[in-house]
């Protein structure tokens, strides 16, 4: 099956996130009024509704909060990528309230566990968009 893998399309709101990934950094928004960390990129703080959001580079490290090993493709587009190692990563302080949905790389499915320490991996696409993936720390 020859389907083109879906790719993200940055918007004006999300562009700083994608620009950071391209330079191999993780940038997350923070509300300038209530200090809440905001992810996914938005125009208003979900806690206080302020429009005063600024971008901050963070380590991007964290722990696996939840995961799934998809042994059947989640879409025909990912037929050649099974098993898909899907995870929710809870970032380390100062933005530990942020959880990022991602895929895991360079790890066997049986080695994945809740609480496993992970670090970011920057997957540079031929289309100029870099994806944020994670691998086991260390």
């Amino acid at each position: 099956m020859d389907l083109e893998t879906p790719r993200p399309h940055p918007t004006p709101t999300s562009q700083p996130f994608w620009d950071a990934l391209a330079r191999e950094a993780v940038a997350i928004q923070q509300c300038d009024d209530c200090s809440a960390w905001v992810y996914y990129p938005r125009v208003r703080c979900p806690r206080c509704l302020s429009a005063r959001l600024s971008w901050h580079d963070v380590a991007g490290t964290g722990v696996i909060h939840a995961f799934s090993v998809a042994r059947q493709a989640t879409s025909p587009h990912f037929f050649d990528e099974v098993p898909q190692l899907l995870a929710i990563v809870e970032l380390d302080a100062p933005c530990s309230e942020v959880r990022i949905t991602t895929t895991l790389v360079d790890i066997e499915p049986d080695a994945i566990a809740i609480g496993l320490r992970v670090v970011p991996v920057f997957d540079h696409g031929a289309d100029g968009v870099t994806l944020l993936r994670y691998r086991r720390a260390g």
Side-chain angles (χ1 to χ4, degrees):
M1 184 175 290
D2 266 350
L3 292 176
E4 189 174 320
T5 303
R7 301 289 292 171
H9 297 282
T11 65
T13 301
S14 69
Q15 191 66 55
F17 175 78
W18 300 107
D19 291 345
L21 293 181
R23 60 181 169 79
E24 299 199 355
V26 177
I28 303 292
Q29 289 174 301
Q30 186 176 31
C31 179
D32 295 333
D33 289 329
C34 76
S35 299
W37 290 94
V38 178
Y39 183 83
Y40 58 89
R42 304 174 198 200
V43 295
R44 293 203 173 271
C45 173
R47 184 183 294 165
C48 74
L49 301 180
S50 170
R52 293 179 5 100
L53 301 173
S54 56
W55 289 91
H56 300 273
D57 284 359
V58 298
T61 56
V63 297
I64 294 178
H65 177 78
F67 71 94
S68 180
V69 177
R71 298 191 189 279
Q72 293 184 346
T74 56
S75 164
H77 300 88
F78 302 108
F79 179 78
D80 295 333
E81 298 181 28
V82 290
Q84 287 177 273
L85 308 178
L86 311 170
I88 298 173
V89 171
E90 182 176 307
L91 296 186
D92 291 336
C95 51
S96 55
E97 61 200 74
V98 171
R99 294 181 181 153
I100 295 178
T101 303
T102 188
T103 52
L104 303 173
V105 296
D106 301 329
I107 188 169
E108 291 299 317
D110 292 344
I112 303 168
I114 298 203
L116 181 71
R117 298 232 18 101
V118 291
V119 296
V121 173
F122 303 95
D123 184 356
H124 300 283
D127 60 358
V129 176
T130 301
L131 299 179
L132 178 59
R133 310 223 191 253
Y134 278 84
R135 68 171 173 78
R136 180 192 339 223

